[in-house]
């Protein structure tokens, strides 16, 4: 185990480059199974979650070569084991994407039900509903989802909840279903579009990703391909918030600005300057905060609304902003576990159900802090970068799961942060 030692007060200044999107990688790697031949994936983040998925695929019989430059070759033709055990799913809940991929490719799968986690119950009823609509026989016994389909047939599926996971899982199975599948009330996140683009690169016919209605013409033979995933808009947003929180001036390279409109708009509303540019090859955003950010109100919503994954880092910033604000967490029912930790730094936050009321304080004070999940960890790091004194952030294995080279990137723009083995 390790923890970060962070001494606050430094303005973040300089240039940071964003890595590949974790939530695109965790869906596209399982999707590569559908080709049954070699796929070359590029720009993958070298984070713990991707290493876990690499090990799971290898255990199932796929050939997987993941090189430190973020390139991964996946060749699924040798897969002999179509089961994903509980310890696999509990180590990485996104391994449930293998359910849709295995069904779409082989017509059967056994995947352990993922449990809840630190941010909520996280049911997968919409995934199951969609797969059953495609003709899969789904039985849940002993915590295992037994899915079998002699043949999958396209269907009209209306999602009761806008769900990223359900949209993607159904898409993966639908490419193996004869005829047309329509997913209505679909999630529109950038990584949903990235998965659709990857499937089309393999020869699938997926239209409408990024809108509420996705149409898939299934039953086509898919082939291997080379595909580079999109940059991580949540990593980018985290750095934008850290720059604003420390009164910094940071250029954030390798972003897709439309993916960051909600966070850019909120930071500009708080008095922070966000400008866009490109160096001829890739886009960048420059975040400059020479005044203390003003309090702003946040309501998390499915894309293109304010992303729930940035709610926690944003709350850290608002804890030291000018004025009072509120955050309504509309996506997950328990995504305030970082609040007690911020309160120990002097933050004035009152939680009432899904709403947190924040009274900005002039300064937070350093403390020994415990991350409860990935984005809570990011929030505590942002708070520690602002606070007076030296904080310790524990449980940083959560950070290692979703942020590539996080402390190195922060140090390179002036943060006083070091990793200390416990
Ligand atoms: C994905 O989770 C992301 N994870 C999450 O990021 C992200 O917070 C979330 O989307 C929302 O953007 C990955 O992509 C690996 P959902 P997912 O299904 O797919 C309810 C991070 O920090 N729901 O869109 O699980 C659910 O309970 C992680 O990178 C059902 O009710 O999210 C939630 O309230 C955290 N039934 C809401 O929908 C279902 O069948 C949205 O969940 C599925 C979901």
């Amino acid at each position: 185990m390790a923890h970060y030692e962070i001494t606050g007060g430094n303005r973040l200044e300089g240039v940071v480059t964003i890595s590949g999107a974790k939530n695109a990688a965790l869906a596209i790697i399982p999707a590569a199974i559908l080709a049954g031949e070699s796929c070359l994936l590029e720009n993958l983040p070298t984070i713990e979650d991707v290493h876990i998925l690499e090990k799971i695929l290898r255990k199932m019989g796929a050939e997987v070569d993941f090189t430190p430059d973020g390139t991964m070759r996946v060749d699924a033709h040798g897969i002999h084991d179509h089961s994903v055990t509980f310890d696999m799913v509990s180590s990485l809940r996104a391994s449930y994407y293998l359910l849709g991929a295995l069904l779409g490719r082989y017509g059967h799968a056994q995947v352990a039900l993922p449990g809840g986690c630190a941010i909520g119950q996280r049911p997968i009823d919409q995934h199951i509903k969609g797969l059953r609509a495609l003709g899969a026989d789904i039985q849940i016994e002993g915590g295992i989802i037994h899915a079998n389909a002699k043949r999958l047939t396209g269907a009209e599926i209306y999602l009761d909840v806008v769900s990223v996971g359900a949209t993607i899982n159904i898409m993966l199975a639908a490419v193996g279903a004869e005829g047309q599948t329509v997913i209505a009330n679909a999630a529109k996140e950038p990584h949903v579009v990235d998965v659709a683009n990857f499937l089309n690169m393999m020869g699938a016919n997926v239209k409408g990703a990024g809108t509420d209605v996705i149409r898939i013409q299934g039953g086509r033979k898919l082939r291997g391909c080379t595909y580079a995933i999109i940059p991580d808009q949540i990593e980018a947003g985290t750095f934008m918030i850290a720059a604003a929180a420390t009164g910094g001036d940071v250029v954030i390279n390798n972003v897709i600005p439309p993916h960051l409109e909600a966070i850019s708009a909120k930071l500009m509303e708080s008095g922070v300057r966000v400008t866009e540019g490109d160096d001829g090859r890739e886009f960048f955003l420059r975040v400059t905060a020479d005044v203390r950010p003003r309090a702003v109100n946040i309501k998390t919503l499915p894309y293109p609304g304010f992303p729930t994954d940035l709610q926690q880092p944003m709350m850290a910033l608002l804890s030291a902003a000018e004025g009072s604000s509120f955050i309504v967490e509309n996506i997950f029912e328990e995504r305030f576990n970082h609040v007690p930790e911020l309160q120990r730094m002097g933050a004035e936050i009152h939680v009432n159900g899904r709403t947190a009321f924040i009274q900005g304080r002039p300064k937070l004070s350093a403390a020994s802090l415990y991350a409860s999940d990935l984005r809570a960890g990011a929030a505590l790091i942002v708070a520690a970068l602002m606070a007076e004194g030296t904080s310790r952030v524990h449980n940083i294995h959560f950070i290692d799961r979703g942020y590539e080279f996080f402390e190195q990137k922060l140090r390179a723009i002036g943060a006083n942060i070091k990793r200390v083995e416990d």
Side-chain angles (χ1 to χ4, degrees):
M1 297 288 270
H3 64 271
Y4 283 144
E5 256 179 34
I6 300 169
T7 302
N10 294 9
R11 295 180 72 233
L12 297 185
E13 291 180 301
V15 181
V16 64
T17 298
I18 299 306
S19 304
K22 166 178 88 81
N23 293 343
L26 296 182
I28 286 171
I29 295 167
I33 283 180
L34 291 161
E37 53 187 55
S38 192
C39 282
L40 193 64
L41 305 177
E42 296 172 335
N43 195 36
L44 297 182
T46 51
I47 54 176
E48 188 52 27
D49 276 7
V50 173
H51 286 301
I52 294 173
L53 202 44
E54 171 197 1
K55 292 189 194 100
I56 290 173
L57 285 192
R58 206 173 277 134
K59 211 168 171 185
M60 295 167 71
E63 280 172 39
V64 187
D65 304 305
F66 185 26
T67 45
D69 66 347
T71 302
M72 180 186 278
R73 190 179 65 82
V74 180
D75 188 336
H77 84 278
I79 283 186
H80 47 72
D81 180 355
H82 300 154
S83 60
V84 182
T85 60
F86 182 69
D87 65 328
M88 291 176 179
V89 169
S90 51
S91 63
L92 177 70
R93 65 174 286 114
S95 49
Y96 62 29
Y97 286 135
L98 288 161
L99 178 59
L102 289 166
L103 256 185
R105 168 95 182 130
Y106 302 102
H108 57 90
Q110 284 78 40
V111 175
L113 268 176
C117 73
I119 61 175
Q121 278 232 307
R122 307 192 74 183
I124 62 166
D125 58 300
Q126 299 299 303
H127 300 233
I128 304 293
K129 164 182 167 174
L131 299 179
R132 280 184 169 140
L134 295 174
D137 169 46
I138 305 241
Q139 303 298 327
I140 298 178
E141 282 147 25
I144 304 282
I145 303 165
H146 298 271
N148 288 287
K150 284 187 191 50
R151 47 177 286 135
L152 293 171
T153 312
E156 300 245 335
I157 299 156
Y158 179 84
L159 293 182
D160 306 337
V161 182
V162 176
S163 159
V164 169
T167 302
I168 291 174
N169 230 343
I170 294 165
M171 235 183 348
L172 299 186
V175 296
E178 286 302 323
Q180 174 172 265
T181 295
V182 178
I183 306 174
N185 199 24
K188 300 181 273 196
E189 271 70 3
H191 32 292
V192 172
V193 178
D194 212 23
V195 172
N197 290 341
F198 172 62
L199 293 172
N200 287 336
M201 190 67 96
M202 289 198 287
N205 179 341
V206 182
K207 290 190 170 61
T211 74
D212 300 304
V213 181
I214 299 176
R215 285 179 171 72
I216 301 112
Q217 290 297 342
R220 302 157 66 104
K221 171 119 180 59
L222 302 187
R223 56 186 182 279
C225 69
T226 296
Y227 189 80
I229 71 167
I230 56 171
D232 194 318
Q233 81 272 13
I234 303 301
E235 182 196 12
T238 305
F239 277 102
M240 291 170 74
I241 291 169
T246 56
D249 181 358
V250 177
V251 170
I252 296 154
N253 254 343
N254 188 31
V255 293
I256 300 174
H259 292 172
L260 290 156
E261 262 177 23
I263 182 63
S264 298
K266 272 300 159 183
L267 289 177
M268 287 190 276
E269 191 185 321
S270 75
V272 173
R273 268 204 318 281
V274 180
T275 49
E276 183 182 317
D278 73 271
D279 61 7
R281 267 180 333 105
E282 57 191 26
F283 286 96
F284 63 81
L285 288 176
R286 181 172 181 179
V287 177
T288 314
D290 30 35
V291 291
R292 184 181 170 202
R294 287 189 301 272
V296 289
N297 298 325
I298 305 280
K299 293 180 181 175
T300 66
L301 285 169
Y303 188 87
F306 191 93
T308 173
D309 293 347
L310 290 176
Q311 175 262 105
Q312 294 153 293
M314 194 66 187
M315 190 185 289
L317 180 147
L318 292 174
S319 299
E322 182 83 48
S324 61
S325 56
F326 64 76
I327 293 181
V328 184
E329 172 52 67
N330 290 308
I331 307 295
F332 290 109
E333 67 273 23
E334 278 172 40
R335 203 165 194 169
F336 286 147
N337 289 327
H338 50 297
V339 169
E341 298 303 297
L342 293 174
Q343 288 168 331
R344 291 169 53 235
M345 301 176 81
E348 220 175 296
I349 305 170
H350 302 281
V351 171
N352 180 357
R354 287 192 177 223
T355 303
F357 297 93
I358 303 127
Q359 176 58 48
R361 303 294 304 276
K363 266 286 171 200
L364 297 180
S365 48
S368 188
L369 305 162
Y370 289 81
S372 52
D373 60 84
L374 169 61
R375 309 300 178 184
L380 300 181
I381 289 165
V382 169
L385 290 170
M386 296 190 287
E388 257 165 5
T390 300
S391 300
R392 289 187 168 187
V393 178
H394 297 276
N395 298 338
I396 57 173
H397 57 279
F398 286 117
I399 296 289
D400 296 339
R401 299 195 55 155
Y403 288 100
E404 183 181 52
F405 309 135
F406 201 46
E407 72 259 23
Q408 294 90 328
K409 291 186 181 183
L410 281 169
R411 232 187 343 262
I413 52 176
N416 183 338
I417 178 172
K418 65 177 184 213
R419 177 187 282 260
V420 178
E421 291 306 320
D422 289 341

